[in-house]
Amino acid sequence: MTDLDGAPELAPYRDEPAQLPSGAPGKVGLLRLAFERRAERTVLTDLFRQAPLLAQRALYWDAAMPEMACLFIISTSGGVLQGDRYRIDVSLGEGARAHLTTQAANKIQEMDANYATQFQRITLAEDAYLEYLPEPMIPYRHSRFVSDTAVTLPESATVLYAEILLPGRKHHRDGEIFQYDLFSCAVRAARPGGRNLFVEKYVIEPARFGVDRRGVLDSFHVFGNVLLLTSPERARRVADRTPPTWDDDLPIVAGVSLLPNDAGLSYKVLGRETEPVRTRIQQFCAVARAAAVGRAASSAFAWR
């Protein structure tokens, strides 16, 4: 699926903005990144960017994996706006190592018409390794956002993909806790031959279905979602080292589960504030990196 405008949850929001219409020039962000292994280092061999999405040169800041290309995805617009349509394509060649993150939290601005979408396509070759760990998403009051991420990888490759969703601008004026209209996120994975492994999708509409209920988020505000797509052997090693967590003092809860079709692991974290959730995800990612490539996490791992 590449046309997110057809998502059924967007049906109430098909009006056009009074300013630039949806998908107008300046509102279609495109980013294409291709990484290849060259001798002892992974290099960025292809880069196409169209504002408001931007990426600069690959850096090599991770002392624990000096061969890994590290790259910031940047927005030039100060956030996601109504009518924005983003697409990000990422590919890694055989044996490539890459770390992607964002320069700041992804702010989904307040909307009075239409919505914003983001489609991501991630493709890995044999033995490739990708850490895709963006900063948290902050959906502002009345924002509407739909994201779809499609990953294709062989069993020998590894993708470490994380999302942190905040409840809004929690400390802005009188607070914006769960005052956004829609946040929809789907992640799907497949093998290169086309065999589908799983689809995970959650749709949050706080005004229609309250999320502050037992069995949903209850009293928690921050949701961390991590997917480790890797071989069954690596997944078992990580699962064995990731006990469930329930800490009433922070408070925070976390747990790992197996994905279907030997695709890997799903790790979920709930907290009241961002930093404890971020810390748990960092710890899980460090275990996952050690299992996947046999390297320790540096002090700058994930979020610096």
Side-chain angles (χ1 to χ4, degrees):
M1 176 180 178
T2 58
D3 184 11
L4 298 184
D5 294 302
E9 59 266 32
L10 291 173
Y13 310 114
R14 302 200 184 281
D15 52 334
E16 288 293 334
Q19 306 83 17
L20 285 175
S22 59
K27 301 188 72 62
V28 178
L30 301 175
L31 185 61
R32 185 179 70 238
L33 306 170
F35 298 90
E36 297 289 342
R37 186 67 177 257
R38 300 280 176 84
E40 299 302 317
R41 175 172 283 190
T42 294
V43 297
L44 180 63
T45 57
D46 182 40
L47 169 61
F48 176 83
R49 54 200 178 191
Q50 177 174 299
L53 288 180
L54 178 68
Q56 297 175 320
R57 60 181 295 183
L59 304 173
Y60 299 88
W61 70 59
D62 197 318
M65 291 185 67
E67 78 279 14
M68 183 168 66
C70 303
L71 189 139
F72 285 101
I73 297 175
I74 300 168
S75 170
T76 61
S77 65
V80 179
L81 307 177
Q82 58 190 26
D84 280 358
R85 304 291 187 265
Y86 289 178
R87 173 158 183 155
I88 299 173
D89 289 350
V90 179
S91 64
L92 273 69
E94 183 175 352
R97 306 280 188 264
H99 174 99
L100 298 181
T101 187
T102 54
Q103 93 280 22
N106 195 358
K107 306 170 186 67
I108 307 172
Q109 299 287 343
E110 185 171 349
M111 301 178 184
D112 57 23
N114 208 255
Y115 50 86
T117 66
Q118 176 175 277
F119 178 73
Q120 301 182 119
R121 183 177 63 184
I122 300 170
T123 306
L124 275 71
E126 297 287 345
D127 297 314
Y129 174 77
L130 173 65
E131 297 170 353
Y132 193 172
L133 307 174
E135 289 288 327
M137 306 280 288
I138 308 176
Y140 286 16
R141 189 192 313 266
H142 295 308
S143 62
R144 306 95 180 242
F145 181 76
V146 175
S147 172
D148 188 282
T149 300
V151 182
T152 302
L153 77 167
E155 190 174 291
S156 65
T158 296
V159 170
L160 190 53
Y161 181 86
E163 300 166 339
I164 297 179
L165 177 63
L166 273 57
R169 292 180 291 182
K170 185 173 179 178
H171 305 292
H172 175 72
R173 296 179 182 172
D174 57 347
E176 285 185 359
I177 297 179
F178 302 123
Q179 293 186 22
Y180 53 90
D181 292 338
L182 169 67
F183 188 93
S184 173
C185 180
V187 181
R188 63 197 71 236
R191 295 299 183 211
R195 182 170 71 94
N196 292 324
L197 299 175
F198 73 90
V199 178
E200 179 185 73
K201 180 173 182 176
Y202 56 89
V203 178
I204 307 174
E205 297 175 281
R208 293 185 61 198
F209 306 101
V211 296
D212 54 348
R213 297 176 295 166
R214 189 176 300 274
V216 188
L217 291 185
D218 197 12
S219 62
F220 296 104
H221 293 157
V222 181
F223 172 49
N225 186 33
V226 188
L227 296 175
L228 172 63
L229 310 183
T230 193
S231 70
E233 179 184 357
R234 293 167 180 160
R236 283 193 296 270
R237 292 204 301 267
V238 176
D240 290 343
R241 295 184 56 191
T242 310
T245 299
W246 189 292
D247 188 333
D248 288 321
D249 294 330
L250 284 175
I252 194 168
V253 297
V256 68
S257 59
L258 294 173
L259 290 168
N261 298 309
D262 290 327
L265 300 176
S266 172
Y267 184 62
K268 302 288 193 289
V269 187
L270 294 177
R272 196 73 59 79
E273 299 293 341
T274 305
E275 288 310 311
V277 173
R278 191 195 303 263
T279 298
R280 288 291 173 180
I281 292 178
Q282 285 177 315
Q283 293 169 351
F284 177 82
C285 290
V287 173
R289 178 192 279 195
V293 293
R295 301 292 189 88
S298 71
S299 60
F301 183 68
W303 298 274
R304 298 191 301 154

